[in-house]
Amino acid sequence: MKVAEAVGRALTAAGVHQVFGVVGSGNFHVTNAMVAAGSRFVAARHEGGAATMADAYARTSGTVPALSVHQGPGLTNALTGIAEAAKSRTPLLVVAAEATRPTSNFYVDQKALAEAVGAVAERVTSPHSAVERACGAVRRALHERRTVLLNLPLDVQALDVPDAAIAVVPPPPRAAVEPSASEVSALGTALARSRRPVFVAGRGARSPVARDALRALADHHGALLATSAVAHGLFHDDPWSLGISGGFATPLAAELIQDADLIVGWGCGLTMWTMRHGRLIGPDTTVVQVDDDASALGAHREVHLGVTGDVAAVARQVLTAGAERQKGYRTDDIARALRTRGRWRDVPYDDESTRDRIDPRTLSAALDDILPAERVVGVDSGNFMGYPSAYLSVPDHHGFCFTQAFQSIGLGLATTIGAALAQPDRLPVAALGDGGALMGVAELDTVRRLGLPMVVIVYDDEAYGAEVHHFGPDGFPLDTVTFPPTDIAAVARGHGFEAVTVRDRADLKAVADWVAGPRSAPLLVDAKVTRERGAWWLAEAFRGH
């Protein structure tokens, strides 16, 4: 057996059952070996899209997928998606062919490229250790929660593997980090003293076990529940949920978080986005952070107490410490406020729709009513992104995929493809700006080819809206960030989509008709949205700089 085949089969045996990529000569044999061993392969139209699909699949499936790319340009094309995954600490394996001769047209320092964007690199150097190295890369991705580049030199791929070197040892599950008794006690004391506690759950709390442990502890101490954007949906059905903390927070959520006397970040970095550059933290608020990675504690802001440990384990141990049950922040007045003002849809606004353009708030609220509740929403980056994040409800933490750690536009469509494949029983909904939609347009073909019943919503303001609303008020010329009208619906039809152009609420009947069935082709909604003002969350973000 050649190294390429042995590595491909070993990766599948080690638990990598989903592969995304673009296949060329260098990664042809290893990819085919994975497929032959039982892995599912999805061909993207661009390596950048494949990388983001793999990232989103990992986030919404809880497994380690692979990205397979050609040597040189295959890897460089994928770098933005790899950077997003690495910054998000997504457990992901990048399998890349490698040209090692400096005279090759394909030669680049692939190890340096990976490390430059925050990934870690491994290399298969001999047939004797090839399978061991491959399994080690999977184990590192899983246990260290890292994006790992596994380089497969072309000359090594063609060598014969000794029979004795083919045995595969799948990695064991990642062990939960147990907290120290002293830190658990200190957190218990802080909660016992608090009268207005707020829990903010992040990426490290995105599991049913952690969710249930946090809800039980919050019930005991009277804490209100919020999430970072990436954990949106975690407390979807809880009456004491504030929704997303940070720029997307409702006015009520922001008010209640600011008035908290204790904020506990659970698997959450409490970044400038989640805490609005610190403005959601009151001057006398105690700040606690719980994370199973000690290096994450206090990385984004000073905390009064850091607890190193698995979120679920810490929450359970604090709960069993025996503190008295407290009413805390859960009063009748706050319960009433959450019922009547707890959602963005409850916040009155002046509808700014015109004859030719629809207010994005009106659009988003109407789509929330039309689209099935069992959905998985992927959101691209840009001025529009707060509208789907705030107005489109999701059933749980698997229903929202937010690839924003690198703040690149153009990832939203591929994000939704990856999430859709991980959650096949839900309607996938991609929310994009026109800039990101056109940047990632090639993957419309992938949606149609895979037969995904996806709804793609394009918030089309014919501009890079973030730049327009950041620089426009100061009188700067905007010719470089504004564009003539594009018939994005026609582009989608060319890829085999059904499509509708939306300028007012009446146009959304076509979306309702599509939802009613048979959904034989995906649907693109080209929504011509109002563009006179910037989004509220973006104004908030700019004030922080």
Side-chain angles (χ1 to χ4, degrees), residues 47-315:
E47 290 91 348
T52 302
M53 291 174 203
D55 180 13
Y57 186 91
R59 298 183 193 213
T60 47
S61 71
T63 64
V64 178
L67 165 67
S68 178
V69 295
H70 189 272
Q71 64 271 22
L75 179 62
T76 58
N77 278 347
L79 275 180
T80 296
I82 293 171
E84 169 65 35
K87 285 178 175 289
S88 300
R89 295 298 291 267
T90 299
L92 171 64
L93 184 68
V94 181
V95 182
E98 183 181 30
T100 54
R101 290 185 297 105
T103 54
S104 169
N105 286 350
F106 294 124
Y107 176 78
V108 288
D109 189 340
Q110 296 191 174
K111 178 177 184 291
L113 286 173
E115 293 175 348
V117 297
V120 294
E122 303 278 358
R123 174 178 284 119
V124 172
T125 57
S126 83
H128 297 83
S129 61
V131 168
E132 180 184 355
R133 284 287 180 90
C135 293
V138 178
R139 183 170 57 252
R140 190 172 186 187
L142 179 64
H143 289 182
E144 298 181 19
R145 291 196 300 256
R146 300 298 296 269
T147 297
V148 179
L149 169 65
L150 180 64
N151 282 311
L152 298 178
L154 296 173
D155 52 351
V156 177
Q157 285 193 50
L159 299 177
D160 293 323
V161 177
D163 290 343
I166 297 178
V168 174
V169 179
R174 187 177 188 272
V177 177
E178 288 295 321
S180 71
S182 61
E183 290 178 348
V184 168
S185 176
L187 176 53
T189 299
L191 282 166
R193 291 174 177 169
S194 173
R195 295 295 174 265
R196 297 184 306 281
V198 170
F199 290 178
V200 183
R203 191 188 318 275
R206 291 181 73 253
S207 75
V209 173
R211 176 200 61 208
D212 292 348
L214 289 178
R215 289 179 71 166
L217 185 63
D219 287 346
H220 191 82
H221 286 280
L224 303 181
L225 296 162
T227 70
S228 65
V230 294
H232 179 37
L234 187 65
F235 305 119
H236 166 73
D237 59 348
D238 196 294
W240 299 103
S241 172
L242 302 176
I244 301 175
S245 174
F248 299 158
T250 64
L252 176 62
E255 173 189 328
L256 293 172
I257 295 170
Q258 285 174 323
D259 286 345
D261 60 7
L262 173 67
I263 294 174
V264 185
W266 298 89
C268 176
L270 302 175
T271 66
M272 64 179 186
W273 306 107
T274 307
M275 291 289 106
R276 291 191 181 180
H277 299 274
R279 287 192 293 275
L280 290 184
I281 302 173
D284 300 318
T285 302
T286 299
V287 179
V288 178
Q289 187 180 354
V290 179
D291 203 289
D292 65 3
D293 180 358
S295 67
L297 301 176
H300 291 278
R301 67 182 59 260
E302 183 179 352
V303 297
H304 298 95
L305 172 63
V307 180
T308 303
D310 174 77
V311 165
V314 173

